[in-house]
Amino acid sequence: MSVRRCGISSALTSCDYSDPQGSALGPLCFNLYVAPLSCVIGSFGMRHHQYADDTQMYIAASKADLKANIDTLEKCTAAVHQWLLHSSLQLNPSKSEVIQFTAGRGHEQVDNVSSLQVSDTTIQPSPTIKTLGVTLDRLLTFDQHVANVCKATTSTYARCAMCASLFPMTLLESLPAA
């Protein structure tokens, strides 16, 4: 395979497993390549989402069946790890996160998840996780997400204010006051 741009071709190179990194077909080919992972997860009765190279598995559990559901999640994670290894991919336990969401009024009635085994690594529950740009906390209050958005907005506004002399006055007058 080679890359051609503006009439110039790169040297030929072999590509044994997939399309080259940066290829326009890369994301589509990767999604097709990992699609069977959905069947592996589904075979454990687990629910999940896949987005690009992230896979999120989740369970809904009551206090009575929490232990059994955690055991199933750990077995499913081990099966996912094996499938990834067989498919020349790798599970990175250092990027794995665990969070337990509970309803505001019912959180006293639920046992906390102490940890989860992922590829011979023990993962401790996180107080927050970030998924697709949204920060979620265990009680789903969105307090941390709102704080993050406000901080980013304030920072952006401050940088714009430092550059105010570069903008036409008509543009500046159309902006809302802080």
Side-chain angles (χ1 to χ4, degrees):
M1 154 181 130
S2 70
V3 175
R4 183 174 177 91
R5 180 175 158 98
C6 300
I8 301 170
S9 295
S10 68
L12 283 173
T13 184
S14 74
C15 186
D16 298 329
Y17 294 105
S18 179
D19 58 330
Q21 186 171 355
S23 162
L25 290 176
L28 175 62
C29 290
F30 182 79
N31 285 337
L32 292 172
Y33 188 70
V34 298
L37 184 57
S38 195
C39 295
V40 172
I41 297 168
S43 72
F44 287 86
M46 300 289 304
R47 290 182 264 173
H48 68 286
H49 291 108
Q50 289 177 281
Y51 182 78
D53 62 348
D54 288 336
T55 301
Q56 298 175 345
M57 299 184 297
Y58 55 97
I59 55 174
S62 65
K63 187 173 185 172
D65 63 358
L66 182 62
K67 175 75 172 117
N69 277 287
I70 294 297
D71 290 342
T72 302
L73 182 58
E74 287 179 339
K75 289 175 185 168
C76 181
T77 302
V80 165
H81 185 219
Q82 287 304 309
W83 185 91
L84 291 170
L85 289 175
H86 179 74
S87 301
S88 301
L89 296 170
Q90 195 171 15
L91 176 69
N92 188 347
S94 69
K95 291 187 175 181
S96 298
E97 294 179 292
V98 175
I99 190 166
Q100 178 181 1
F101 298 113
T102 55
R105 287 182 280 172
H107 68 91
E108 302 90 7
Q109 302 169 4
V110 179
D111 291 336
N112 289 330
V113 174
S114 59
S115 64
L116 188 78
Q117 284 297 124
V118 176
S119 300
D120 300 326
T121 302
T122 302
I123 308 294
Q124 301 299 323
S126 301
T128 62
I129 61 166
K130 193 166 190 173
T131 180
L132 297 177
V134 177
T135 304
L136 302 172
D137 62 88
R138 34 178 332 214
L139 298 178
L140 298 173
T141 63
F142 293 94
D143 291 345
Q144 187 63 52
H145 180 70
V146 170
N148 292 348
V149 170
C150 289
K151 182 178 178 183
T153 303
T154 301
S155 174
T156 301
Y157 190 80
R159 280 183 292 210
C160 288
M162 289 189 305
C163 299
S165 63
L166 302 175
F167 298 114
M169 187 53 84
T170 55
L171 175 65
L172 295 173
E173 290 169 350
S174 68
L175 296 175

